[in-house]
Each structure stands twice: as C-alpha cells, then as structure tokens.
Amino acid sequence: GQQLNQSPQSMFIQEGEDVSMNCTSSSIFNTWLWYKQDPGEGPVLLIALYKAGELTSNGRLTAQFGITRKDSFLNISASIPSDVGIYFCAGQGGENNDMRFGAGTRLTVKP
Amino acid sequence: DSGVTQTPKHLITATGQRVTLRCSPRSGDLSVYWYQQSLDQGLQFLIQYYNGEERAKGNILERFSAQQFPDLHSELNLSSLELGDSALYFCASSVEGFSSTDTQYFGPGTRLTVL
C-alpha cells in the first residue's frame, strides 16, 4: 500500500541544534504517531496525536497534527547524542482503516 | 520494555521452508498487529487480529497467514519462503484497534534470514 511521504531522509546535525521533520499523505488519518527506532530494536512510541490541529509536547519533542489531517511534523529541540536513531511517522485509521508508515528520517547528532 | 514479547529473536532458514513467529501482547491488549520491515520496503502492515478475529489486512502475501489464540497470543506463519522474505518481523499490540484512539506498542522483533 501507499506509504507516507516523510522528509528529510537523513539529517546530520550538531549537538544542541533543533531538528524538524515532517510527513504528508494523500489520505486522511484519524491519528498521527511518531516513533523512534534504535538499531536492532522495535519502534518506540514518542508522541500520539488524535485531533486535527493538535500540538503536543513530550519533553524536548513537539509534534503537530495537520489541520487537513493529511500531514504532521515533529520537532526536536536542543538535540543530544542519544537522539540518534531513525524516526518514523505513522498515520492510523481514516479512509483505509489501517496504518501506514513513512520511510523514516535517520538522525545523526555530532557531539 | 514495551511489554510485547516476540520469539524467536533470530531465525535462519532455507528457501522453500516454513516458519512460525510468536507474539504475546501486553497485558490487557486485545489487538495484535504484524509488520514486516525490510531495507527496501520500510515498515509494512501485514495483518491485525482483535480478540481472536481477523480485523484488518494489509500487504500480506498468500504464503503468509496468522492467527490469534484464546489467550490472545498470536502466531505468524510464513511458508514457501523466498530470499526476499528476509526481514525484521514486528508484532505490536493495543487495547482496541485502528478505528480507536489507542496506540500500538511494538515488540523487539524477529529477524528472519532466508538463505
């Protein structure tokens, strides 16, 4: 099935910098989710968004559910080395009543 | 630790063989989902079960099947294995399902290598 369009594919940043990544879809979703995956591990849920326009924070992470229900972004402020990993967006429910993932954003943080 | 367990952690087998992957959901979760993650395809939803019944189907091949048992654990059966089936297979669980606002928690995955 059609996956979500996630960008950028990868980012190389300096410790302390802010990071922004986003996801877009041609379909409407009821829920947007952001996961982080470390090598050899399963994805770990970071933030869940349930309402269009919702802006939610979890520590240094902030995510928003787009008004059109077809997009979402994730911001990480003041990055630290342990932020390294692959970040996935996911859209759940909606028109297809399933779950679709973005291809992931690989984040590298240089100390 | 998400509370979702998967066994085995690694599996190496040959083309044409059949394997079974096992998943135990978090306590209290009724839905189990299976996903395939390969390098070229990313994370792909395969199938969902809710309280023992199939609820949603994604990109699951006919050679693959799954079931959820009365104790809510689930098994994913992969048969007539091909080289391209080599991937990480994740199980996730949630209280309800896609149509609700609850969220999924992923297990550590089973890495399948087909030689």
Side-chain angles (χ1 to χ4, degrees):
Chain A
Q2 182 77 35
Q3 297 296 86
L4 306 179
N5 297 311
Q6 184 173 349
S7 64
Q9 270 189 325
S10 60
M11 301 184 76
F12 296 83
I13 62 169
Q14 206 71 38
E15 183 177 357
E17 288 182 0
D18 297 344
V19 169
S20 187
M21 57 193 80
N22 70 84
C23 252
T24 61
S25 168
S26 57
S27 305
I28 289 172
F29 290 102
N30 292 337
T31 302
W32 279 91
L33 305 154
W34 286 92
Y35 288 87
K36 178 174 182 259
Q37 186 176 21
D38 292 325
E41 305 286 331
V44 174
L45 181 67
L46 298 174
I47 290 184
L49 301 155
Y50 302 115
K51 283 171 55 174
E54 179 182 355
L55 184 72
T56 297
S57 292
N58 178 11
R60 294 177 297 105
L61 277 57
T62 302
Q64 183 155 33
F65 191 144
I67 286 290
T68 65
R69 294 167 62 195
K70 292 184 178 181
D71 65 299
S72 177
F73 73 74
L74 173 71
N75 288 339
I76 305 173
S77 62
S79 58
I80 59 178
S82 62
D83 291 334
V84 165
I86 302 177
Y87 293 78
F88 290 98
C89 63
Q92 177 175 302
E95 297 170 16
N96 301 301
N97 195 34
D98 65 0
M99 190 157 173
R100 309 284 173 93
F101 284 85
T105 296
R106 184 180 294 273
L107 179 63
T108 303
V109 180
K110 291 178 281 188
Chain B
D1 184 353
S2 66
V4 178
T5 60
Q6 287 185 251
T7 57
K9 196 164 175 61
H10 300 278
L11 200 49
I12 301 174
T13 189
T15 54
Q17 295 298 304
R18 172 190 168 95
V19 297
T20 297
L21 313 184
R22 183 189 166 100
C23 168
S24 292
R26 294 186 319 158
S27 175
D29 284 357
L30 297 178
S31 264
V32 169
Y33 311 77
W34 286 98
Y35 294 87
Q36 180 193 59
Q37 186 178 40
S38 56
L39 282 174
D40 58 344
Q41 292 288 324
L43 265 164
Q44 301 271 340
F45 165 65
L46 297 178
I47 198 165
Q48 178 209 358
Y49 278 81
Y50 175 78
N51 205 19
E53 294 189 4
E54 181 183 307
R55 175 68 70 87
K57 225 168 184 176
N59 299 318
I60 188 165
L61 299 172
E62 284 193 12
R63 299 183 285 109
F64 296 0
S65 65
Q67 54 183 328
Q68 187 179 27
F69 295 87
D71 66 353
L72 301 177
H73 90 271
S74 177
E75 291 181 355
L76 178 67
N77 301 298
L78 315 175
S79 61
S80 303
L81 284 167
E82 302 174 0
L83 295 177
D85 297 328
S86 295
L88 269 167
Y89 290 84
F90 287 106
C91 168
S93 75
S94 72
V95 175
E96 296 178 22
F98 288 135
S99 60
S100 73
T101 57
D102 72 338
T103 51
Q104 298 175 36
Y105 295 87
F106 282 75
T110 292
R111 181 174 291 281
L112 174 66
T113 303
V114 183
L115 302 175

